[in-house]
Amino acid sequence: ICEYIRAKFPDVVLILDAKRGDIGDTAALYAREAFSRYGADAVTVNPYLGTDSLEPFLATPGKGTIVLCRTSNAGSSEFQSLEVDGEPVYLRVARTAAAKWRSIGECALVVGATYPEELARVRAIVGDMPILVPGIGAQGGDINAVVRAGATSPSSATTSQATTPAASRRGLIINSSRAILYASDGADFATAARDAALATRTAINAAS
Amino acid sequence: ICEYIRAKFPDVVLILDAKRGDIGDTAALYAREAFSRYGADAVTVNPYLGTDSLEPFLATPGKGTIVLCRTSNAGSSEFQSLEVDGEPVYLRVARTAAAKWRSIGECALVVGATYPEELARVRAIVGDMPILVPGIGAQGGDINAVVRAGATSPSSATTSQATTPAASRRGLIINSSRAILYASDGADFATAARDAALATRTAINAAS
């Protein structure tokens, strides 16, 4: 699949949503698999094993490492929201990303569209770091709430130029998978998937 | 590789150390990949996404789900040892396994040989659940310390039968990867790897 995408759409950013998480040597091989073998531009990784498990990804020049912070599923609160020194584990992940991981390489975080208030708390910690937001399609996350909570604030310079909301708000990679992949199970699949994707794009650009 | 092992050694227990961790639908497909496509008997999974991400693995009849609890790498304490209500996150994982996951299916935990005291704390919580212990080879974990801290206590019945330590102590799957895989880079690789594996087995059986 990666080879097909690379051949047909060489300019598309290719994110491998593999949620990797393993120790030193193995992590280094997974990073090579993702970036060299599959030619991905970025890969999602799990923080549970700590910084040394993320380092081989972060340290690969020109490639992105997207760390799971607060995932979109219902059970994600079970460990991610445990209170540590008065704040949840996922905010500790966000603080570590801002303080440490971004200085090693290109780092982003995953925060589910299903938790817009928590997205706002993460944004407050990580400044202008990119945030990948799954969960707006099949999982029912609200696009307007996501953009309000998660986009970086427009600088005064861009606001004064009276740009559109979409053009002045940045920092989010909003993802819809199943709502597009499963847009139709009939012969009209290609058209239905295209329509769903375009409608999603329009909704994101119109969000306020 | 899995196909080769299945064909040549049909009685060997095949554990896929894939450290999977993804939400609902995707987790279900990963479980099918591990158990049906690769024919694994068990697979390692990451708990960060919560119970709903483990359920498709646990609910597969006759297959084992081995959840990362306290991993063997140096950076594992970064998130796994954060204090929650007076005890570390990894013990919360152990409690959740004992209270919830083992009732859904065959569940085991991963605790690194490099942390024998923590292995003892996990064992105290999970009773007779199996624990997979990596880290005795290249990572330098001590086999005696692992067996003392992690094996289930022999019942009074078996102790009175004057069995050997190895026969009376159970509950551990002790793993060595790199010390065997990289036993030699010469033509004697097969012999060197076999010797390393046999020496490891002897040391485990002699542990006290």
Side-chain angles (χ1 to χ4, degrees), chain A residues 5 31-32 56 65 78 90-91 115 128 145 165 202:
Chain A
I5 295 171
R32 206 167 75 190
T65 304
E78 196 167 7
Y90 74 86
L91 287 188
Y115 302 101
D128 63 356
T202 302

Side-chain angles (χ1 to χ4, degrees), chain B:
Chain B
I1 292 175
C2 292
E3 210 173 317
Y4 176 85
I5 296 171
R6 273 287 172 244
K8 295 277 186 179
F9 308 98
D11 298 330
V12 160
V13 174
L14 185 58
I15 300 174
L16 193 70
D17 187 20
K19 301 188 174 68
R20 295 299 192 206
D22 216 310
I23 69 170
D25 284 23
T26 313
L29 292 172
Y30 275 132
R32 206 167 76 189
E33 178 200 45
F35 298 136
S36 300
R37 182 172 168 205
Y38 295 135
D41 297 302
V43 61
T44 58
V45 293
N46 186 309
Y48 191 68
L49 278 76
T51 297
D52 55 352
S53 72
L54 311 180
E55 214 142 16
F57 296 91
L58 289 164
T60 306
K63 300 291 187 176
T65 304
I66 309 176
V67 187
L68 300 181
C69 179
R70 179 66 160 113
T71 56
S72 55
N73 57 314
S76 63
S77 59
E78 196 167 7
F79 298 108
Q80 295 166 26
S81 295
L82 290 175
E83 288 272 317
V84 176
D85 296 335
E87 69 177 16
V89 167
Y90 74 87
L91 287 187
R92 182 64 73 101
V93 170
R95 284 190 201 287
T96 311
K100 197 192 282 190
W101 300 334
R102 73 186 304 174
S103 70
I104 307 176
E106 300 293 324
C107 184
L109 294 174
V110 173
V111 181
T114 41
Y115 302 101
E117 284 174 35
E118 307 195 342
L119 176 57
R121 296 183 72 186
V122 172
R123 173 57 74 203
I125 289 172
V126 302
D128 62 355
M129 279 179 72
I131 302 179
L132 173 66
V133 184
I136 58 155
Q139 297 178 73
D142 180 73
I143 291 178
N144 286 321
V146 164
V147 172
R148 272 197 303 273
T152 54
S153 304
S155 72
S156 52
T158 46
T159 347
S160 67
Q161 289 160 12
T163 51
T164 64
S168 65
R169 289 160 157 266
R170 297 183 174 280
L172 294 176
I173 306 164
I174 301 176
N175 172 65
S176 175
S177 297
R178 280 173 283 166
I180 293 170
L181 278 174
Y182 304 136
S184 163
D185 55 7
D188 64 335
F189 165 73
T191 317
R194 181 173 192 273
D195 290 348
L198 291 176
T200 305
R201 186 177 68 176
T202 302
I204 292 171
N205 285 337
S208 61

Side-chain angles (χ1 to χ4, degrees), chain A residues 8-157:
Chain A
K8 294 279 187 178
F9 308 97
D11 298 329
V12 160
V13 173
L14 185 57
I15 300 175
L16 193 68
D17 187 19
K19 301 188 174 69
R20 294 298 191 207
D22 216 310
I23 68 170
D25 284 24
T26 314
L29 292 172
Y30 275 132
R32 206 167 75 190
E33 178 200 46
F35 298 136
S36 299
R37 181 171 168 205
Y38 295 136
D41 297 301
V43 58
T44 57
V45 294
N46 186 309
Y48 191 68
L49 279 76
T51 296
D52 56 352
S53 72
L54 310 181
E55 214 142 14
F57 295 93
L58 289 164
T60 306
K63 301 291 187 177
T65 304
I66 310 176
V67 187
L68 300 181
C69 179
R70 179 65 160 113
T71 56
S72 55
N73 57 313
S76 63
S77 59
E78 196 167 7
F79 298 109
Q80 295 166 26
S81 295
L82 290 174
E83 288 272 316
V84 176
D85 296 336
E87 70 177 15
V89 166
Y90 74 86
L91 287 188
R92 181 64 73 104
V93 170
R95 284 191 200 289
T96 310
K100 198 192 283 189
W101 300 334
R102 74 185 306 173
S103 70
I104 307 175
E106 299 293 324
C107 186
L109 294 175
V110 173
V111 181
T114 41
Y115 302 101
E117 284 174 35
E118 308 195 342
L119 175 58
R121 297 183 71 185
V122 172
R123 173 57 73 203
I125 289 173
V126 302
D128 63 356
M129 280 180 71
I131 301 178
L132 174 66
V133 184
I136 59 153
Q139 297 179 73
D142 181 73
I143 291 177
N144 286 319
V146 164
V147 172
R148 271 196 305 271
T152 55
S153 304
S155 72
S156 52

